[in-house]
Amino acid sequence: MWVTVGLYLREGYRVPQFHGKWPFSRFLFFQEPASAVASFLNGLANLVMLSRYRTSVPASSPMYHTCVAFAWVSLNAWFWSTVFHTRDTSLTEKMDYFCASTVILHSIYLCCVRTLGLQRPAVASAFGGLLLLLLAAHISYLSLVHFDYGYNMVANVAMGLVNLVWWLGWCLWNRPQLPHVWKCAVVMVLLQGLAFLELLDFPPIFWVLDAHAIWHISTIPIHFLFFSFLMDDSLYLLKDTPVPLKVD
């Protein structure tokens, strides 16, 4: 690979991609060092904020279990992202892609529970079942029919847009009575904006730092802001939920 890269550069051509991937300089056993470390740091930030959430929010809060489940789903995704960027195989690639889709769908479910499910639990349960069917169909197609990178990208963009519009619409609607929703709105806008970094497809700087790695690095602080919103909102719901009277 490096012989080919050297020939291309010597003749004045652009750095080529190999099987759709840029050439990276390995460090120890890391195939893509910057992306692997950034994925690990995203997972660490998620774990720190999960611990802080569980310490700060009582389990009696209506959104507690849904938020904790979302944190574990996200942590699992960052684990597989770290593994994939450390060692790129067919299995680790699929796990990275599938777990990323799971996080987006779980964020949509989280939004559904917050906006509709607290008043209509049956609606949230039915919608959650629908999302599971969509995820199963998505994974089945990519695993059993054809691993289509273009389809996977379009599917994730569509899910991301649903997530963005639903969360952002709810934030704008509830901004007057819920001052903390600005954190959620900023997170949604940042996630959508930072996703455009993926379009800046350039050869790795020093053969280590490419657009994908920069994107992963830029998402690390977002975990702190989003979990801060979840903590504020869960505590608000706990305060706002009437305590049932005990009858002797």
Side-chain angles (χ1 to χ4, degrees):
M1 181 183 74
W2 289 113
V3 171
T4 305
V5 170
L7 289 172
Y8 267 70
L9 292 176
R10 191 173 66 190
E11 296 298 326
Y13 295 106
R14 294 183 72 248
V15 176
Q17 289 187 331
F18 298 83
H19 302 286
K21 300 178 186 295
W22 293 112
F24 287 91
S25 181
R26 296 177 65 147
F27 176 71
L28 299 177
F29 49 83
F30 296 101
Q31 286 184 253
E32 300 178 23
S35 290
V37 172
S39 296
F40 174 79
L41 292 177
N42 272 279
L44 184 61
N46 198 280
L47 184 61
V48 167
M49 293 310 293
L50 169 60
S51 176
R52 190 174 299 176
Y53 179 90
R54 296 177 70 175
T55 303
S56 305
V57 179
S60 55
S61 177
M63 288 293 294
Y64 178 87
H65 297 290
T66 310
C67 291
V68 170
F70 173 75
W72 282 113
V73 168
S74 300
L75 192 59
N76 176 65
W78 287 116
F79 168 78
W80 282 108
S81 178
T82 305
V83 173
F84 169 61
H85 291 301
T86 300
R87 182 64 176 169
D88 182 353
T89 68
S90 177
L91 174 63
T92 59
E93 181 180 50
K94 286 183 172 64
M95 291 303 297
D96 177 44
Y97 282 34
F98 297 161
C99 291
S101 299
T102 305
V103 172
I104 302 172
L105 288 175
H106 204 289
S107 179
I108 295 174
Y109 175 70
L110 184 69
C111 185
C112 175
V113 173
R114 181 61 182 92
T115 57
L116 300 173
L118 297 180
Q119 294 77 30
R120 303 176 183 86
V123 173
S125 297
F127 187 70
L130 175 63
L131 292 179
L132 283 174
L133 288 175
L134 287 174
L135 179 63
H138 177 68
I139 292 176
S140 298
Y141 173 75
L142 291 173
S143 301
L144 305 176
V145 180
H146 176 50
F147 196 82
D148 188 331
Y149 291 95
Y151 156 74
N152 184 70
M153 177 66 72
V154 170
N156 280 300
V157 168
M159 290 185 286
L161 287 174
V162 171
N163 187 58
L164 169 72
V165 171
W166 198 342
W167 271 117
L168 206 54
W170 177 79
C171 290
L172 294 174
W173 183 265
N174 290 277
R175 187 171 56 88
Q177 60 266 33
L178 300 176
H180 57 271
V181 297
W182 71 267
K183 298 178 182 179
C184 180
V186 169
V187 166
M188 294 302 142
V189 173
L190 281 176
L191 283 175
Q192 197 65 25
L194 292 172
F196 286 107
L197 285 172
E198 289 280 52
L199 302 178
L200 303 176
D201 201 17
F202 53 83
I205 302 170
F206 302 118
W207 307 115
V208 172
L209 194 65
D210 67 332
H212 189 73
I214 294 173
W215 174 54
H216 277 334
I217 292 169
S218 65
T219 58
I220 296 171
I222 291 179
H223 298 286
F224 296 97
L225 188 58
F226 189 60
F227 272 92
S228 176
F229 156 72
L230 292 178
M231 284 188 284
D232 290 344
D233 197 55
S234 296
L235 292 172
Y236 166 81
L237 288 171
L238 187 66
K239 182 179 65 175
D240 196 52
T241 303
V243 180
L245 296 175
K246 293 184 178 180
V247 180
D248 294 331

